[in-house]
Protein backbone atom coordinates (compact mmCIF):
# COMPACT_ATOMS: atom_id res chain seq x y z
CA UNK A 1 0.00 0.00 0.00
CA UNK A 2 1.39 3.38 -1.00
CA UNK A 3 1.80 6.11 1.58
CA UNK A 4 0.18 9.51 0.98
CA UNK A 5 3.61 10.96 0.22
CA UNK A 6 4.40 8.32 -2.41
CA UNK A 7 1.00 8.80 -4.03
CA UNK A 8 1.58 12.55 -4.21
CA UNK A 9 5.05 11.99 -5.67
CA UNK A 10 3.63 9.69 -8.34
CA UNK A 11 0.96 12.23 -9.26
CA UNK A 12 3.53 15.02 -9.47
CA UNK A 13 5.83 12.86 -11.61
CA UNK A 14 2.96 11.98 -13.95
CA UNK A 15 1.94 15.61 -14.17
CA UNK A 16 5.48 16.75 -14.96
CA UNK A 17 5.90 13.98 -17.57
CA UNK A 18 2.59 14.89 -19.21
CA UNK A 19 3.51 18.58 -19.34
CA UNK A 20 6.90 17.85 -20.92
CA UNK A 21 5.28 15.71 -23.59
CA UNK A 22 2.47 18.15 -24.32
CA UNK A 23 4.87 21.09 -24.37
CA UNK A 24 7.38 19.47 -26.72
CA UNK A 25 8.15 20.90 -30.16
CA UNK A 26 7.14 17.60 -31.80
CA UNK A 27 3.65 17.63 -30.28
CA UNK A 28 3.27 21.29 -31.22
CA UNK A 29 4.25 20.45 -34.80
CA UNK A 30 1.85 17.50 -35.01
CA UNK A 31 -1.06 19.49 -33.62
CA UNK A 32 -0.50 22.64 -35.68
CA UNK A 33 -1.87 25.04 -36.66
CA UNK A 34 -4.40 24.92 -33.83
CA UNK A 35 -2.00 23.85 -31.08
CA UNK A 36 -2.17 21.09 -28.50
CA UNK A 37 -4.74 22.89 -26.33
CA UNK A 38 -7.44 22.51 -28.98
CA UNK A 39 -7.07 18.73 -28.73
CA UNK A 40 -6.51 18.19 -25.01
CA UNK A 41 -9.52 20.36 -24.12
CA UNK A 42 -11.72 17.86 -25.96
CA UNK A 43 -10.79 15.36 -23.24
CA UNK A 44 -11.01 17.88 -20.39
CA UNK A 45 -11.63 21.62 -20.91
CA UNK A 46 -9.10 22.48 -18.18
CA UNK A 47 -6.26 20.55 -19.84
CA UNK A 48 -4.74 23.59 -21.46
CA UNK A 49 -1.09 24.64 -21.51
CA UNK A 50 -1.61 28.27 -22.51
CA UNK A 51 -5.02 29.28 -21.15
CA UNK A 52 -5.87 29.58 -17.46
CA UNK A 53 -9.18 27.94 -16.62
CA UNK A 54 -10.97 26.44 -13.64
CA UNK A 55 -13.63 23.80 -13.15
CA UNK A 56 -16.46 24.40 -10.70
CA UNK A 57 -16.37 21.45 -8.31
CA UNK A 58 -18.94 22.59 -5.76
CA UNK A 59 -21.96 24.91 -5.75
CA UNK A 60 -23.74 26.08 -2.59
CA UNK A 61 -26.65 28.51 -2.50
CA UNK A 62 -26.70 29.30 1.22
CA UNK A 63 -28.50 32.67 1.09
CA UNK A 64 -31.37 33.94 -1.07
CA UNK A 65 -29.06 36.34 -2.93
CA UNK A 66 -25.69 34.59 -3.24
CA UNK A 67 -24.00 31.47 -4.52
CA UNK A 68 -20.72 30.05 -3.24
CA UNK A 69 -18.55 28.33 -5.84
CA UNK A 70 -15.47 26.19 -5.30
CA UNK A 71 -13.13 26.33 -8.29
CA UNK A 72 -10.26 24.00 -9.14
CA UNK A 73 -7.82 26.03 -11.30
CA UNK A 74 -5.67 24.32 -13.90
CA UNK A 75 -1.86 24.42 -13.94
CA UNK A 76 -1.80 27.30 -16.41
CA UNK A 77 -3.21 29.40 -13.58
CA UNK A 78 -1.53 27.90 -10.51
CA UNK A 79 1.92 27.85 -12.09
CA UNK A 80 1.79 31.57 -12.85
CA UNK A 81 -0.34 33.13 -10.14
CA UNK A 82 -0.41 33.34 -6.36
CA UNK A 83 -3.58 34.81 -4.87
CA UNK A 84 -3.03 36.68 -1.63
CA UNK A 85 -5.85 37.04 0.88
CA UNK A 86 -7.84 40.12 -0.16
CA UNK A 87 -6.91 40.11 -3.85
CA UNK A 88 -9.29 39.43 -6.72
CA UNK A 89 -9.21 37.14 -9.75
CA UNK A 90 -10.67 37.88 -13.16
CA UNK A 91 -13.32 35.28 -14.01
CA UNK A 92 -14.59 34.88 -17.57
CA UNK A 93 -17.83 33.19 -18.63
CA UNK A 94 -19.60 32.86 -21.96
CA UNK A 95 -23.16 34.20 -22.06
CA UNK A 96 -25.18 33.99 -25.28
CA UNK A 97 -22.03 33.50 -27.31
CA UNK A 98 -20.12 36.44 -25.82
CA UNK A 99 -17.27 36.25 -23.34
CA UNK A 100 -17.70 38.43 -20.25
CA UNK A 101 -15.08 38.98 -17.54
CA UNK A 102 -15.62 40.22 -14.00
CA UNK A 103 -13.37 40.42 -10.94
CA UNK A 104 -14.24 38.48 -7.77
CA UNK A 105 -12.31 38.17 -4.52
CA UNK A 106 -11.79 34.60 -3.26
CA UNK A 107 -12.77 33.95 0.35
CA UNK A 108 -10.49 30.96 0.96
CA UNK A 109 -7.34 30.74 3.08
CA UNK A 110 -4.31 32.10 1.29
CA UNK A 111 -2.39 29.28 -0.40
CA UNK A 112 -5.38 26.97 -0.94
CA UNK A 113 -5.35 24.71 -3.98
CA UNK A 114 -8.93 25.74 -4.77
CA UNK A 115 -10.63 29.13 -5.01
CA UNK A 116 -13.86 29.89 -3.17
CA UNK A 117 -16.00 32.63 -4.67
CA UNK A 118 -19.21 33.89 -3.11
CA UNK A 119 -21.08 35.84 -5.76
CA UNK A 120 -24.03 38.05 -4.87
CA UNK A 121 -26.81 38.66 -7.35
CA UNK A 122 -27.98 42.23 -7.95
CA UNK A 123 -30.05 44.22 -10.40
CA UNK A 124 -28.25 44.55 -13.72
CA UNK A 125 -25.47 42.17 -12.71
CA UNK A 126 -25.08 40.20 -15.94
CA UNK A 127 -22.28 37.84 -14.89
CA UNK A 128 -23.20 37.68 -11.20
CA UNK A 129 -26.83 36.81 -11.96
CA UNK A 130 -25.74 34.26 -14.57
CA UNK A 131 -23.50 32.49 -12.05
CA UNK A 132 -26.18 32.63 -9.37
CA UNK A 133 -28.76 31.05 -11.66
CA UNK A 134 -26.68 28.81 -13.95
CA UNK A 135 -23.49 27.74 -12.12
CA UNK A 136 -23.23 23.97 -11.75
CA UNK A 137 -20.61 21.37 -10.97
CA UNK A 138 -18.42 20.62 -13.95
CA UNK A 139 -18.86 24.05 -15.53
CA UNK A 140 -15.58 25.56 -16.73
CA UNK A 141 -14.76 29.26 -16.43
CA UNK A 142 -11.81 31.28 -17.61
CA UNK A 143 -9.27 32.89 -15.29
CA UNK A 144 -7.31 35.85 -16.61
CA UNK A 145 -5.15 37.19 -13.84
CA UNK A 146 -4.86 38.33 -10.24
CA UNK A 147 -4.79 41.87 -8.89
CA UNK A 148 -5.44 44.23 -6.04
CA UNK A 149 -3.43 45.88 -3.26
CA UNK A 150 -5.97 45.14 -0.51
CA UNK A 151 -3.80 42.61 1.33
CA UNK A 152 -2.43 41.90 4.79
CA UNK A 153 1.09 43.12 5.55
CA UNK A 154 3.55 40.26 5.09
CA UNK A 155 3.69 37.71 7.88
CA UNK A 156 6.57 38.48 10.21
CA UNK A 157 6.97 42.06 9.00
CA UNK A 158 7.07 44.97 11.42
CA UNK A 159 3.89 46.30 9.75
CA UNK A 160 1.75 43.27 10.68
CA UNK A 161 -0.72 44.65 13.27
CA UNK A 162 -1.73 42.69 16.36
CA UNK A 163 -5.17 44.14 17.10
CA UNK A 164 -7.07 43.87 13.81
CA UNK A 165 -10.61 45.04 13.03
CA UNK A 166 -12.17 43.57 9.88
CA UNK A 167 -15.28 45.28 8.47
CA UNK A 168 -17.37 44.33 5.43
CA UNK A 169 -20.67 45.16 3.83
CA UNK A 170 -22.69 42.93 1.49
CA UNK A 171 -20.57 41.05 -1.04
CA UNK A 172 -17.50 42.88 0.28
CA UNK A 173 -17.28 40.12 2.86
CA UNK A 174 -15.26 37.81 0.58
CA UNK A 175 -11.79 39.47 0.66
CA UNK A 176 -12.19 40.22 4.38
CA UNK A 177 -13.25 36.62 5.02
CA UNK A 178 -10.09 35.46 3.24
CA UNK A 179 -8.05 37.65 5.58
CA UNK A 180 -9.83 36.29 8.65
CA UNK A 181 -9.40 32.67 7.63
CA UNK A 182 -5.73 33.29 6.80
CA UNK A 183 -5.04 35.03 10.12
CA UNK A 184 -6.65 32.17 12.05
CA UNK A 185 -4.79 29.53 10.00
CA UNK A 186 -1.50 31.33 10.66
CA UNK A 187 -2.17 31.25 14.41
CA UNK A 188 -2.37 35.01 14.72
CA UNK A 189 -4.45 34.82 17.89
CA UNK A 190 -1.67 32.89 19.63
CA UNK A 191 0.57 35.98 19.46
CA UNK A 192 0.83 38.05 22.62
CA UNK A 193 -1.65 40.92 22.61
CA UNK A 194 -3.33 39.78 19.39
CA UNK A 195 -7.04 40.37 18.85
CA UNK A 196 -9.41 40.07 15.89
CA UNK A 197 -12.89 41.55 15.60
CA UNK A 198 -15.16 41.10 12.59
CA UNK A 199 -18.09 43.41 11.74
CA UNK A 200 -20.39 42.59 8.85
CA UNK A 201 -23.34 44.55 7.51
CA UNK A 202 -26.08 42.87 5.48
CA UNK A 203 -29.66 43.73 4.61
CA UNK A 204 -31.19 40.88 6.65
CA UNK A 205 -29.94 37.92 8.72
CA UNK A 206 -30.90 35.55 5.89
CA UNK A 207 -28.59 37.41 3.50
CA UNK A 208 -25.56 37.41 5.81
CA UNK A 209 -22.97 35.15 4.16
CA UNK A 210 -20.77 32.91 6.34
CA UNK A 211 -22.88 33.69 9.42
CA UNK A 212 -22.67 30.20 10.93
CA UNK A 213 -18.93 29.90 10.33
CA UNK A 214 -18.30 33.30 11.87
CA UNK A 215 -20.38 32.40 14.93
CA UNK A 216 -18.21 29.32 15.48
CA UNK A 217 -14.88 31.13 14.92
CA UNK A 218 -12.86 30.66 18.13
CA UNK A 219 -11.41 33.77 19.72
CA UNK A 220 -12.90 36.21 17.19
CA UNK A 221 -15.39 38.87 18.27
CA UNK A 222 -18.13 38.90 15.61
CA UNK A 223 -20.85 41.54 15.32
CA UNK A 224 -23.58 41.90 12.69
CA UNK A 225 -25.60 44.90 11.63
CA UNK A 226 -28.72 44.41 9.50
CA UNK A 227 -29.85 47.50 7.61
CA UNK A 228 -33.39 46.24 6.94
CA UNK A 229 -34.00 44.39 10.20
CA UNK A 230 -34.07 45.34 13.85
CA UNK A 231 -32.06 42.29 14.89
CA UNK A 232 -28.31 41.98 15.12
CA UNK A 233 -25.74 43.17 17.63
CA UNK A 234 -25.39 46.58 15.94
CA UNK A 235 -28.13 49.06 15.12
CA UNK A 236 -27.91 51.60 12.32
CA UNK A 237 -24.83 52.59 10.33
CA UNK A 238 -21.15 52.44 11.26
CA UNK A 239 -20.03 55.12 13.69
CA UNK A 240 -18.25 55.63 17.02
CA UNK A 241 -20.67 53.35 18.90
CA UNK A 242 -20.09 50.46 16.51
CA UNK A 243 -16.33 50.99 16.70
CA UNK A 244 -16.43 50.96 20.51
CA UNK A 245 -18.53 47.78 20.53
CA UNK A 246 -16.22 45.96 18.14
CA UNK A 247 -12.70 47.10 19.07
CA UNK A 248 -11.76 50.51 20.45
CA UNK A 249 -8.46 51.87 19.08
CA UNK A 250 -7.53 48.97 16.74
CA UNK A 251 -3.99 48.83 15.37
CA UNK A 252 -5.39 48.49 11.84
CA UNK A 253 -8.76 48.30 10.11
CA UNK A 254 -9.45 46.43 6.87
CA UNK A 255 -12.78 47.37 5.24
CA UNK A 256 -14.47 46.36 2.01
CA UNK A 257 -18.00 47.28 0.97
CA UNK A 258 -20.17 50.10 -0.34
CA UNK A 259 -18.60 53.54 -0.65
CA UNK A 260 -20.67 54.98 2.23
CA UNK A 261 -19.38 52.29 4.60
CA UNK A 262 -15.76 52.75 3.53
CA UNK A 263 -16.01 56.53 3.96
CA UNK A 264 -17.57 56.18 7.41
CA UNK A 265 -14.83 53.84 8.58
CA UNK A 266 -12.13 56.16 7.25
CA UNK A 267 -13.74 59.06 9.10
CA UNK A 268 -13.72 57.36 12.48
CA UNK A 269 -10.62 55.12 12.32
CA UNK A 270 -6.88 55.48 11.84
CA UNK A 271 -4.67 53.16 9.76
CA UNK A 272 -7.41 51.98 7.43
CA UNK A 273 -6.88 49.65 4.47
CA UNK A 274 -9.78 49.86 2.03
CA UNK A 275 -11.26 48.18 -1.00
CA UNK A 276 -14.52 48.87 -2.78
CA UNK A 277 -15.89 47.32 -5.95
CA UNK A 278 -18.64 49.91 -6.22
CA UNK A 279 -18.16 51.85 -9.47
CA UNK A 280 -16.87 55.39 -8.97
CA UNK A 281 -19.15 58.25 -9.87
CA UNK A 282 -18.32 58.83 -13.53
CA UNK A 283 -19.78 61.69 -15.51
CA UNK A 284 -19.42 61.61 -19.28
CA UNK A 285 -18.54 64.92 -20.99
CA UNK A 286 -21.58 67.09 -21.66
CA UNK A 287 -20.03 68.15 -24.96
CA UNK A 288 -18.54 65.20 -26.90
CA UNK A 289 -15.41 66.03 -28.87
CA UNK A 290 -16.96 64.96 -32.16
CA UNK A 291 -13.63 63.44 -33.13
CA UNK A 292 -13.29 60.22 -35.07
CA UNK A 293 -12.50 56.98 -33.24
CA UNK A 294 -10.73 54.44 -35.43
CA UNK A 295 -10.64 50.81 -34.29
CA UNK A 296 -7.72 49.99 -36.53
CA UNK A 297 -7.63 46.20 -36.16
CA UNK A 298 -11.33 45.89 -36.98
CA UNK A 299 -11.56 48.40 -39.83
CA UNK A 300 -14.31 50.26 -37.96
CA UNK A 301 -14.54 53.95 -37.20
CA UNK A 302 -17.21 56.03 -35.44
CA UNK A 303 -17.81 59.63 -34.40
CA UNK A 304 -17.23 60.24 -30.69
CA UNK A 305 -20.49 60.62 -28.74
CA UNK A 306 -18.93 61.29 -25.34
CA UNK A 307 -19.17 57.82 -23.81
CA UNK A 308 -16.22 55.64 -22.81
CA UNK A 309 -14.20 53.99 -25.55
CA UNK A 310 -15.46 50.60 -24.34
CA UNK A 311 -19.11 51.58 -24.65
CA UNK A 312 -18.59 53.10 -28.08
CA UNK A 313 -16.70 50.02 -29.26
CA UNK A 314 -19.56 47.79 -28.11
CA UNK A 315 -22.13 50.03 -29.84
CA UNK A 316 -20.09 49.64 -33.03
CA UNK A 317 -20.53 45.85 -32.81
CA UNK A 318 -17.10 45.03 -31.35
CA UNK A 319 -16.64 42.75 -28.34
CA UNK A 320 -13.48 43.84 -26.48
CA UNK A 321 -12.69 41.79 -23.39
CA UNK A 322 -13.57 43.65 -20.23
CA UNK A 323 -14.12 43.03 -16.55
CA UNK A 324 -14.98 45.44 -13.77
CA UNK A 325 -15.92 48.35 -16.09
CA UNK A 326 -14.66 50.81 -13.49
CA UNK A 327 -10.90 50.94 -13.95
CA UNK A 328 -9.85 48.30 -11.41
CA UNK A 329 -9.10 45.00 -13.14
CA UNK A 330 -7.24 46.23 -16.29
CA UNK A 331 -8.89 43.50 -18.40
CA UNK A 332 -9.99 46.07 -20.97
CA UNK A 333 -6.52 47.58 -21.45
CA UNK A 334 -5.78 48.31 -25.12
CA UNK A 335 -3.03 50.15 -27.01
CA UNK A 336 -3.79 53.70 -28.07
CA UNK A 337 -1.90 54.14 -31.32
CA UNK A 338 -2.42 57.90 -31.46
CA UNK A 339 -4.69 60.65 -30.21
CA UNK A 340 -5.69 62.14 -26.89
CA UNK A 341 -7.92 60.62 -24.19
CA UNK A 342 -9.09 61.71 -20.77
CA UNK A 343 -9.52 59.46 -17.73
CA UNK A 344 -13.02 59.54 -16.27
CA UNK A 345 -11.71 58.56 -12.83
CA UNK A 346 -8.77 60.98 -12.46
CA UNK A 347 -9.40 63.61 -15.14
CA UNK A 348 -5.84 63.18 -16.43
CA UNK A 349 -5.31 63.82 -20.14
CA UNK A 350 -3.05 61.48 -22.08
CA UNK A 351 -1.47 62.42 -25.41
CA UNK A 352 1.45 60.00 -25.82
CA UNK A 353 1.33 57.61 -28.80
CA UNK A 354 1.55 53.83 -28.45
CA UNK A 355 0.50 53.66 -24.80
CA UNK A 356 -1.81 51.25 -23.00
CA UNK A 357 -5.07 52.68 -21.66
CA UNK A 358 -8.11 51.29 -19.86
CA UNK A 359 -10.87 51.85 -22.38
CA UNK A 360 -13.68 51.40 -19.81
CA UNK A 361 -12.73 54.69 -18.11
CA UNK A 362 -11.24 56.64 -21.03
CA UNK A 363 -13.03 59.08 -23.33
CA UNK A 364 -11.65 60.65 -26.53
CA UNK A 365 -10.49 64.24 -26.77
CA UNK A 366 -10.52 64.61 -30.53
CA UNK A 367 -9.45 61.89 -32.95
CA UNK A 368 -8.23 58.60 -31.47
CA UNK A 369 -6.73 55.54 -33.16
CA UNK A 370 -7.11 52.38 -31.04
CA UNK A 371 -5.60 48.92 -31.60
CA UNK A 372 -8.84 46.99 -31.37
Amino acid sequence: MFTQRSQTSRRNFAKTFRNRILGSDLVELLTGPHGVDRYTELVDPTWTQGEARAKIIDVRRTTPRSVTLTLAPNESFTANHTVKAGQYVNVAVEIDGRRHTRCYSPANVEGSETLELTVGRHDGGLVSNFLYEQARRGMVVGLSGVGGDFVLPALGSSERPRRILLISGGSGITPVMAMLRTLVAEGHLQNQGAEIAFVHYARTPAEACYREELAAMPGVRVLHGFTRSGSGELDGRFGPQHLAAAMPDPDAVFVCGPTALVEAVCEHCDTVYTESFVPPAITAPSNPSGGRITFADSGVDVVDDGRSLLEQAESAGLTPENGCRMGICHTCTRRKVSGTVRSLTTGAVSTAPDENIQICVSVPVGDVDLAL
Side-chain angles (χ1 to χ4, degrees):
M1 185 177 212
F2 292 110
T3 64
Q4 182 64 40
R5 179 176 296 179
S6 66
Q7 290 174 345
T8 301
S9 298
R10 286 168 62 87
R11 285 197 299 268
N12 290 339
F13 174 80
K15 188 181 296 183
T16 302
F17 181 75
R18 182 195 71 193
N19 290 342
R20 286 181 177 177
I21 294 297
L22 294 179
S24 68
D25 293 338
L26 176 60
V27 170
E28 192 67 31
L29 176 65
L30 294 174
T31 56
H34 304 294
V36 66
D37 284 356
R38 298 291 78 82
Y39 293 90
T40 57
E41 67 182 3
L42 296 176
V43 180
D44 188 318
T46 62
W47 286 6
T48 52
Q49 292 284 306
E51 186 173 345
R53 297 177 180 175
K55 181 180 292 185
I56 298 176
I57 59 175
D58 189 41
V59 178
R60 292 178 289 126
R61 292 178 173 85
T62 56
T63 80
R65 297 180 62 84
S66 69
V67 58
T68 297
L69 312 174
T70 302
L71 276 59
N74 65 2
E75 286 184 74
S76 294
F77 181 83
T78 57
N80 297 296
H81 300 287
T82 298
V83 185
K84 296 181 180 179
Q87 289 188 307
Y88 60 80
V89 296
N90 294 322
V91 179
V93 298
E94 187 172 296
I95 304 174
D96 296 330
R98 292 184 59 180
R99 184 180 176 90
H100 300 269
T101 304
R102 297 292 186 270
C103 48
Y104 296 106
S105 295
N108 50 270
V109 173
E110 185 174 311
S112 298
E113 293 184 356
T114 58
L115 300 176
E116 179 180 302
L117 308 180
T118 292
V119 180
R121 66 178 305 175
H122 56 88
D123 295 339
L126 177 65
V127 175
S128 297
N129 291 349
F130 172 81
L131 289 172
Y132 177 83
E133 296 167 0
Q134 304 294 331
R136 64 187 186 279
R137 293 181 181 180
M139 179 184 288
V140 174
V141 300
L143 298 175
S144 56
V146 176
D149 299 321
F150 184 59
V151 296
L152 294 166
L155 181 63
S157 73
S158 59
E159 297 179 0
R160 177 62 75 92
R162 290 185 178 276
R163 300 178 65 253
I164 298 174
L165 174 57
L166 304 171
I167 303 174
S168 60
S171 59
I173 193 172
T174 52
V176 184
M177 194 69 191
M179 291 180 175
L180 175 62
R181 287 170 163 174
T182 298
L183 287 167
V184 171
E186 290 174 351
H188 178 79
L189 289 171
Q190 276 68 60
N191 296 325
Q192 185 176 2
E195 295 180 48
I196 302 175
F198 195 109
V199 175
H200 179 61
Y201 296 91
R203 302 199 305 180
T204 65
E207 295 180 21
C209 300
Y210 300 106
R211 193 178 177 195
E212 292 183 2
E213 179 181 346
L214 286 169
M217 193 73 71
V220 179
R221 180 167 177 74
V222 178
L223 302 172
H224 281 89
F226 302 116
T227 59
R228 298 188 183 182
S229 169
S231 59
E233 297 82 10
L234 302 173
D235 184 36
R237 309 289 176 171
F238 182 85
Q241 291 183 335
H242 291 197
L243 177 61
M247 181 184 288
D249 301 317
D251 294 337
V253 181
F254 296 83
V255 55
C256 182
T259 302
L261 173 61
V262 172
E263 290 177 348
V265 172
C266 290
E267 179 183 351
H268 298 289
C269 301
D270 299 321
T271 316
V272 180
Y273 300 84
T274 70
E275 180 71 285
S276 176
F277 289 132
V278 177
I282 294 176
T283 303
S286 57
N287 298 311
S289 70
R292 185 160 294 277
I293 306 171
T294 301
F295 302 105
D297 296 348
S298 306
V300 175
D301 61 86
V302 298
V303 175
D304 172 37
D305 62 13
R307 294 179 296 160
S308 71
L309 285 165
L310 172 60
E311 292 175 294
Q312 296 194 62
E314 291 176 332
S315 294
L318 305 181
T319 57
E321 189 173 0
N322 63 88
C324 66
R325 301 180 78 92
M326 55 181 166
I328 293 178
C329 72
H330 296 272
T331 304
C332 70
T333 298
R334 294 293 182 274
R335 182 171 59 88
K336 174 171 65 71
V337 179
S338 63
T340 301
V341 297
R342 182 172 66 83
S343 169
L344 289 170
T345 55
T346 67
V349 174
S350 168
T351 60
D354 292 315
E355 67 174 350
N356 292 327
I357 61 171
Q358 293 170 271
I359 63 174
C360 72
V361 290
S362 297
V363 294
V365 181
D367 295 342
V368 173
D369 190 346
L370 198 66
L372 175 62

